[in-house]
Amino acid sequence: AQTVTQSQPEMSVQEAETVTLSCTYDTSESDYYLFWYKQPPSRQMILVIRQEAYKQQNATENRFSVNFQKAAKSFSLKISDSQLGDAAMYFCAYSTSYGKLTFGQGTILTVHP
Amino acid sequence: SQTIHQWPATLVQPVGSPLSLECTVEGTSNPNLYWYRQAAGRGLQLLFYSVGIGQISSEVPQNLSASRPQDRQFILSSKKLLLSDSGFYLCAWSGRAGVWGDTQYFGPGTRLTVL
């Protein structure tokens, strides 16, 4: 079974600085998808970024980018120019067949003004 | 554009009572639909998924059940709630039925407290 591990229960960053959230996963499949979701205090899950495993190029969405290391099974999220609105819990997720998502335990990100 | 609705937003129920949570999706057809549960401060656990009307797959054996009476309606039910059923329930959809890797979009969730 696939597992997703987020080893940082909490992280903090100063406003305008850069922070990196870590994620590792375990799978025997060669084709899969990886996601980062953000859960603000409202608790609605919001997609941040999506990576297709067959693509070597790292995905980027504005201030959010990933460092995808397939051989190491690592998928970290970098947030540049952090903003107060980035404060949330961030979940790494792996997509299995039929799009079933396996989630990590989450990292709480605090942004200090 | 597509939207996903869940209701109720909050629910407090006594142990042993029935449960019905509803999820509807607008602006798309034949989506994959999912029910997740999130315990306090933890990641999401997939409970059920559906690739079409009347087609339900269960991921976790428990006293919950799901039904999909219409293409864009997904219902989570229980005949008798347990204390352990408390949590935050999220419904999600993805755009292409039976296709994996499609992005899932989540509803606002239902906070269930069983007393």
Side-chain angles (χ1 to χ4, degrees):
Chain A
Q2 292 82 8
T3 59
V4 178
T5 302
Q6 293 179 248
S7 59
Q8 306 155 317
E10 297 184 24
M11 292 284 286
S12 63
V13 64
Q14 291 293 131
E15 196 175 5
E17 297 294 310
T18 296
V19 64
T20 298
L21 308 184
S22 301
C23 172
T24 59
Y25 57 94
D26 185 26
T27 184
S28 58
E29 299 176 352
S30 59
D31 291 327
Y32 49 87
Y33 295 77
L34 296 164
F35 303 84
W36 279 98
Y37 281 89
K38 168 185 176 182
Q39 189 178 41
S42 67
R43 299 195 74 176
Q44 180 156 9
M45 298 288 282
I46 301 167
L47 175 71
V48 175
I49 203 162
R50 175 177 183 261
Q51 175 76 44
E52 298 158 346
Y54 65 87
K55 289 186 177 180
Q56 294 187 352
Q57 185 174 6
N58 290 325
T60 299
E61 288 288 344
N62 301 315
R63 297 181 295 107
F64 299 88
S65 61
V66 299
N67 183 6
F68 173 49
Q69 301 290 327
K70 190 172 184 179
K73 298 181 182 176
S74 171
F75 183 60
S76 61
L77 174 70
K78 185 173 81 171
I79 306 174
S80 304
D81 186 26
S82 296
Q83 301 175 0
L84 295 177
D86 294 334
M89 180 170 276
Y90 286 80
F91 290 97
C92 178
Y94 170 100
S95 177
T96 61
S97 58
Y98 289 106
K100 292 183 290 182
L101 287 172
T102 300
F103 284 86
Q105 291 302 300
T107 298
I108 298 173
L109 178 66
T110 302
V111 181
H112 298 289
Chain B
S1 64
Q2 300 85 10
T3 55
I4 179 169
H5 304 279
Q6 285 186 246
W7 62 88
T10 305
L11 191 61
V12 180
Q13 292 284 90
V15 170
S17 64
L19 173 72
S20 181
L21 303 182
E22 188 167 343
C23 169
T24 58
V25 181
E26 296 177 353
T28 187
S29 59
N30 198 26
N32 283 342
L33 295 173
Y34 310 85
W35 277 112
Y36 291 88
R37 178 169 60 198
Q38 183 180 28
R42 302 194 60 143
L44 278 66
Q45 179 188 39
L46 179 65
L47 301 176
F48 301 94
Y49 69 94
S50 172
V51 299
I53 295 174
Q55 300 178 60
I56 309 294
S57 296
S58 174
E59 287 292 302
V60 181
Q62 54 200 333
N63 69 318
L64 299 173
S65 62
S67 62
R68 185 170 177 173
Q70 300 180 42
D71 181 45
R72 289 168 289 178
Q73 184 184 32
F74 205 23
I75 297 172
L76 183 69
S77 303
S78 174
K79 292 183 179 179
K80 288 185 178 182
L81 283 168
L82 306 173
L83 287 174
S84 58
D85 291 324
S86 293
F88 191 63
Y89 288 82
L90 285 152
C91 180
W93 72 275
S94 64
R96 293 177 291 174
V99 175
W100 63 286
D102 237 14
T103 299
Q104 290 186 29
Y105 299 95
F106 287 81
T110 295
R111 184 186 305 274
L112 172 66
T113 303
V114 182
L115 301 175

